[in-house]
Amino acid sequence: DAKTTQPNSMESNEEEPVHLPCNHSTISGTDYIHWYRQLPSQGPEYVIHGLTSNVNNRMASLAIAEDRKSSTLILHRATLRDAAVYYCILRDVYQFYFGTGTSLTVIP
Amino acid sequence: KAGVTQTPRYLIKTRGQQVTLSCSPISGHRSVSWYQQTPGQGLQFLFEYFSETQRNKGNFPGRFSGRQFSNSRSEMNVSTLELGDSALYLCASSMGQRDGELFFGEGSRLTVL
């Protein structure tokens, strides 16, 4: 079974905020939550990661639920270049576990 | 700083053949991990090498193997190819920490006929 669950697709208008949800109900206390995105014909690229606290960087914000069973990636102002598949990933001692990803469409 | 380089980018093989894919990590990175990406299964972890040792392995048959050289470059090999091995094979390099960032190459697209 997949360790993370994400909606298959989402749409957003350009320059509006986007909230991409992820459920990871079986997360263990030491698993890191990572988000990567993949543009067409490219390898995935790092977006953000966290363990327990909310995180911000120049690309996005990561909001982690208090019980850590879910998280939300927040893109503050979607641009056309943000159209990609976004993967919510758990990282344990052994490996990264990729979900099936959310395909984000940005509407001009 | 040069990124992760994977070669070849595209290749076509027939069933029963074997294939070797190469990955050159970012300079200074000691960890190289490999992933298989297919439309049906998504991204699946194959294995990770750190300082020439296999540190972790995913749930793939023994036909899938890899190695890492002293300069951190890595190769993966798939023997006795099957149609289901057609996929994009991605390599990622990192410093190796659990909270570290992975840097992916553009992948090697394998088609098995």
Side-chain angles (χ1 to χ4, degrees):
Chain A
D1 289 341
K3 289 202 168 196
T4 64
T5 305
Q6 303 175 249
N8 288 333
S9 61
M10 292 184 65
E11 285 187 351
S12 173
N13 293 319
E14 194 176 10
E15 298 193 4
E16 289 188 355
V18 183
H19 291 235
L20 298 167
C22 180
N23 287 318
H24 29 78
S25 58
T26 61
I27 191 170
S28 73
T30 55
D31 288 351
Y32 282 86
I33 302 162
H34 288 248
W35 283 80
Y36 281 70
R37 70 181 186 181
Q38 188 172 22
L39 301 169
S41 302
Q42 294 188 23
E45 66 173 353
Y46 171 82
V47 177
I48 200 166
H49 79 277
L51 184 60
T52 56
S53 303
N54 295 343
V55 183
N56 299 295
N57 66 21
R58 63 175 179 80
M59 286 184 70
S61 295
L62 175 60
I64 300 173
E66 196 168 332
D67 63 6
R68 302 212 322 130
K69 293 183 184 300
S70 65
S71 61
T72 302
L73 177 70
I74 303 165
L75 306 180
H76 297 288
R77 289 178 69 245
T79 70
L80 296 179
R81 290 181 299 174
D82 291 324
V85 177
Y86 287 78
Y87 293 99
C88 171
I89 303 152
L90 295 187
R91 166 65 154 142
D92 67 10
V93 174
Y94 303 106
Q95 60 172 285
F96 284 82
Y97 297 91
F98 281 75
T100 53
T102 297
S103 179
L104 176 65
T105 300
V106 180
I107 302 168
Chain B
K1 194 173 186 181
V4 177
T5 304
Q6 292 189 244
T7 57
R9 291 291 314 282
Y10 302 91
L11 66 166
I12 300 173
K13 294 285 187 178
T14 57
R15 280 183 300 173
Q17 288 187 311
Q18 73 165 11
V19 66
T20 299
L21 309 178
S22 178
C23 174
S24 293
I26 291 172
S27 177
H29 284 186
R30 297 165 64 189
S31 169
V32 173
S33 52
W34 289 88
Y35 296 82
Q36 182 194 64
Q37 186 172 30
T38 59
Q41 299 296 320
L43 270 153
Q44 296 187 90
F45 171 74
L46 282 155
F47 30 65
E48 179 200 9
Y49 286 86
F50 184 84
S51 294
E52 301 181 66
T53 301
Q54 187 180 86
R55 186 159 73 168
N56 295 302
K57 189 177 189 307
N59 189 26
F60 277 82
R63 299 186 297 107
F64 292 81
S65 62
R67 59 178 175 169
Q68 187 180 33
F69 302 96
S70 59
N71 62 358
S72 291
R73 190 178 71 84
S74 177
E75 290 180 347
M76 69 163 282
N77 183 275
V78 187
S79 63
T80 319
L81 284 166
E82 301 176 0
L83 295 179
D85 297 333
S86 295
L88 180 67
Y89 290 89
L90 290 158
C91 155
S93 78
S94 75
M95 297 297 289
Q97 303 101 316
R98 282 178 57 201
D99 63 342
E101 179 181 346
L102 293 179
F103 294 84
F104 282 85
E106 292 186 307
S108 293
R109 170 82 57 190
L110 171 65
T111 301
V112 182
L113 302 176

